[in-house]
Amino acid sequence: MRRLNLWHLLLVPLCLVWIYPFVWMVSTAFKSEREVFLGGLSVLPDEWTFDNFVRAWDTAHFGAYLSNTIVFSVTTVLIVLLVSATAGYALGRGSLPGKKVIVGLLIATMFIPHGYTIIPIFKLVDGLGLNNGLLGAVLATAGPAHVVPILLFMGYFAGMPQELEDAARIDGASYPRTFFSIMLPLAKPVIGTVALFNFMAAWNAFFIPLVFTLGRPDLRTLGVGMYSFFGSEATDWGGLAAGATISLLPIIAIFLFLQRTFVEGIAGAVKS
Amino acid sequence: MLLLFVAFTLWPMVASWWYSFFDWDGVGPATDWVGFGNFAEVLQSGAFWHAFGNSFLFSLVAIFVEMPLALLVAILLNSQRLRGRNLYRLFLFLPVVTTTAVIGIVFAIMLDPAGGFVNGLLTSVGLVDAPITFLSESYALPTVMAVDVWKGFGITLIYWLAALQTVPDDLYEAAKIDGANGRQTLRHITLPVIAPIGVVILLLTFQKSMNPFDLVQAMTEGGPNHATDVVATYIYRYAFDPYLNAPRYGFACAAGVVFGAITLVMTALQGPLLRRQYLKGSR
């Protein structure tokens, strides 16, 4: 027991290092410009001010970036859900010709390094006339096959009793109708996991939104906005800290609410 | 769905290969066939291999520093009697869910030599006389790597914790009855049982660590003087840098293809290891 307590001596400083940047960020965001400039070490600001937030929100356009990020993330999640659920349904149930080949191909692409295929994707979206738009960035993010969600949906749908489908057909439901009003509502747990993880990934995305908004500064997402704010106003630490707080608080809040699903989802990835 | 898959997954892979044979600035169709010219240039480019070396270093740090450290902490946090273990886990995991680019900038400010928090703290407790220039040419690479470990630590920790959960309780009880001490239990029970999953974690960590674009671009843009350049920032510079007069898509594609091929080979090398452990685990 005593030896166990000694470990706290290691864990407490470690955790401090891990969360202090967030504490620093929030505290600096509330400090006055003068206090930030003087570089005091205290956690609590001498005088609390909202100036930094006002500056970040209006002058540095973080208000617009926030709504861009929400639009970008929500649309991405919806497309990923729709595509991977339908794909998972088609692959998980019924006898689609060439099913094994498709699944094999999907799994193979998991192991081939990608992320370096951005140039063809960029040219493709550009060719569709969607460059310099949020929709282009959404397509580039949601378009590439999301193998893990597809496999999750596939496994889930494959495990459903055949009677459900038969009953729906006898009642006269068409194939799409069966899917949307019977099967999809039953897949809520998978929908939740997939939505959560893709929302987080989209919110934190940087590379694709950066590339697709190079010509349209007004469409930047929070991460990209933060990057360009740092590029132009590297000395406005208070404003930067406020911008960072605006960017991170929503995702941290979501995480704290849905912690369990997060941790279980990640742990599940290793076990299976 | 098949259309999307072909358009956004298969086509880009094939197209990267195809474009890499052209000297192409992205305006109009690619017509200027240069054969293997781009590849020759990539392979002979010192800057590319420098960036490649850095990418590889990021992986090495993730595998040899982050993974063992996370395992150690996971073993501690797995102990039922440790108080506050959920809180510790929460704190260590928090960076994982945050935006890498934003984190990079927060760290860049905190590490600033002129008035940044870290140097302020170090000088005020008297650990250093002069502020450390964390993002200078000589220190930038280790600094960015340390932030990378900070950011990714939580996810590796959760992986290990999941692995530790798979050890059956009766094994521990048997060990206790046989009079094994903590270290012996760890050495002869815990580690052998989690080894197969460890290989999966190795693969996941490797894949994640090869692409630190967001962090590097946000903190240093590959600088100063290319000291922290990784393959992703290298490619980005040739294809998308706004200060570039004419992008070199063909060349950037060739660099991507070379890097992709080498990572594929390195991943494939881990394959037999994976299979052996898997067989061992299922026996």
Side-chain angles (χ1 to χ4, degrees):
Chain A
M1 203 64 205
R2 161 155 293 161
R3 277 189 49 197
L4 213 57
N5 284 333
L6 279 176
W7 286 112
H8 287 292
L9 288 178
L10 179 99
L11 287 169
V12 170
L14 192 72
C15 285
L16 224 77
V17 172
W18 251 251
I19 57 160
Y20 200 79
F22 300 110
V23 176
W24 176 88
M25 175 183 87
V26 176
S27 113
T28 307
F30 283 108
K31 284 180 180 173
S32 67
E33 263 178 280
R34 199 179 56 87
E35 198 181 341
V36 174
F37 180 71
L38 290 174
L41 295 178
S42 94
V43 176
L44 292 177
D46 285 342
E47 41 178 323
W48 295 73
T49 169
F50 273 106
D51 285 359
N52 297 319
F53 284 98
V54 174
R55 217 163 51 250
W57 191 268
D58 294 329
T59 321
H61 312 297
F62 272 78
Y65 297 159
L66 182 65
S67 67
N68 288 342
T69 307
I70 294 172
V71 170
F72 171 74
S73 308
V74 171
T75 329
T76 305
V77 168
L78 288 179
I79 295 183
V80 170
L81 273 181
L82 185 71
V83 172
S84 51
T86 45
Y89 186 60
L91 293 170
R93 299 203 75 85
S95 47
L96 190 73
K99 183 167 127 183
K100 280 203 173 125
V101 180
I102 297 178
V103 175
L105 215 61
L106 277 175
I107 295 177
T109 57
M110 262 175 92
F111 291 96
I112 298 172
H114 31 88
Y116 302 97
T117 49
I118 179 70
I119 292 166
I121 292 180
F122 181 74
K123 292 308 289 183
L124 181 73
V125 174
D126 201 20
L128 291 171
L130 294 172
N131 181 23
N132 288 331
L134 276 182
L135 191 60
V138 167
L139 267 184
T141 314
H146 291 262
V147 182
V148 176
I150 293 177
L151 294 181
L152 277 177
F153 274 114
M154 200 177 99
Y156 196 82
F157 285 132
M160 280 186 183
Q162 181 65 40
E163 286 84 359
L164 264 177
E165 247 180 3
D166 295 341
R169 199 170 315 126
I170 291 166
D171 287 348
S174 62
Y175 187 71
R177 176 91 201 265
T178 312
F179 172 70
F180 282 108
S181 28
I182 312 271
M183 300 311 257
L184 201 57
L186 286 172
K188 270 192 194 120
V190 183
I191 294 178
T193 314
V194 171
L196 182 62
F197 276 89
N198 279 285
F199 186 81
M200 186 185 98
W203 188 279
N204 293 336
F206 177 63
F207 187 43
I208 287 179
L210 172 69
V211 167
F212 281 92
T213 57
L214 283 175
R216 286 289 297 276
D218 55 315
L219 290 178
R220 285 175 185 143
T221 57
L222 286 164
V224 181
M226 189 74 197
Y227 171 68
S228 53
F229 188 20
F230 186 55
S232 59
E233 300 278 344
T235 48
D236 183 7
W237 289 1
L240 283 162
T245 309
I246 296 172
S247 314
L248 299 186
L249 270 193
I251 199 75
I252 291 179
I254 291 177
F255 163 66
L256 291 179
F257 271 116
L258 300 170
Q259 231 195 101
R260 262 205 119 69
T261 322
F262 253 102
V263 171
E264 275 163 14
I266 291 173
V270 186
K271 281 177 184 163
S272 54
Chain B
M1 173 265 157
L2 205 60
L3 183 78
L4 274 179
F5 179 61
V6 171
F8 284 95
T9 308
L10 289 185
W11 152 251
M13 285 186 193
V14 179
S16 311
W17 283 87
W18 179 243
Y19 289 158
S20 58
F21 291 108
F22 293 90
D23 183 11
W24 184 40
D25 62 1
V27 182
T31 45
D32 199 356
W33 177 270
V34 291
F36 285 94
N38 284 326
F39 288 99
E41 196 185 333
V42 168
L43 293 174
Q44 284 164 11
S45 154
F48 172 78
W49 288 112
H50 172 69
F52 180 83
N54 283 346
S55 287
F56 194 56
L57 263 179
F58 269 94
S59 288
L60 290 183
V61 168
I63 290 170
F64 292 104
V65 179
E66 186 181 312
M67 273 183 68
L69 218 64
L71 175 60
L72 176 76
V73 176
I75 290 170
L76 288 180
L77 294 189
N78 196 44
S79 150
Q80 302 282 342
R81 290 173 307 166
L82 189 78
R83 274 208 240 145
R85 51 205 275 262
N86 287 333
L87 203 61
Y88 286 134
R89 193 183 64 184
L90 173 70
F91 285 165
L92 294 172
F93 189 74
L94 199 56
V96 175
V97 301
T98 55
T99 317
T100 314
V102 175
I103 287 298
I105 288 158
V106 169
F107 267 97
I109 299 173
M110 286 181 72
L111 296 169
D112 193 283
F117 170 79
V118 175
N119 272 310
L121 187 71
L122 289 177
T123 37
S124 72
V125 297
L127 269 177
V128 291
D129 298 329
I132 302 173
T133 48
F134 282 106
L135 292 174
S136 67
E137 203 174 327
S138 36
Y139 293 125
L141 190 61
T143 305
V144 178
M145 281 174 177
V147 178
D148 193 45
V149 170
W150 177 88
K151 179 83 173 62
F153 188 81
I155 208 157
T156 318
L157 177 74
I158 298 293
Y159 287 159
W160 281 126
L161 278 171
L164 290 170
Q165 296 290 319
T166 63
V167 183
D169 278 341
D170 35 340
L171 277 183
Y172 285 129
E173 268 160 38
K176 211 185 213 169
I177 292 165
D178 289 347
N181 61 27
R183 189 169 302 157
Q184 282 168 331
T185 313
L186 183 68
R187 166 88 180 73
H188 295 287
I189 308 269
T190 313
L191 292 182
V193 174
I194 62 171
I197 303 180
V199 179
V200 179
I201 299 176
L202 175 74
L203 203 70
L204 289 169
T205 309
F206 176 74
Q207 285 209 326
K208 168 180 70 111
S209 62
M210 285 300 272
N211 193 5
F213 175 82
D214 296 7
L215 188 65
V216 174
Q217 186 72 18
M219 282 186 82
T220 64
E221 303 189 321
N225 198 14
H226 298 181
T228 54
D229 211 11
V230 291
V231 175
T233 51
Y234 178 86
I235 293 174
Y236 175 82
R237 250 204 327 280
Y238 277 100
F240 298 110
D241 194 334
Y243 301 109
L244 211 66
N245 292 325
R248 297 190 59 198
Y249 282 147
F251 180 72
C253 278
V257 168
V258 169
F259 185 62
I262 300 176
T263 5
L264 185 62
V265 169
M266 287 202 281
T267 312
L269 283 179
Q270 298 172 22
L273 191 70
L274 195 68
R275 188 165 304 129
R276 211 181 61 212
Q277 288 291 0
Y278 185 75
L279 289 176
K280 219 195 263 173
S282 60
R283 231 187 293 141

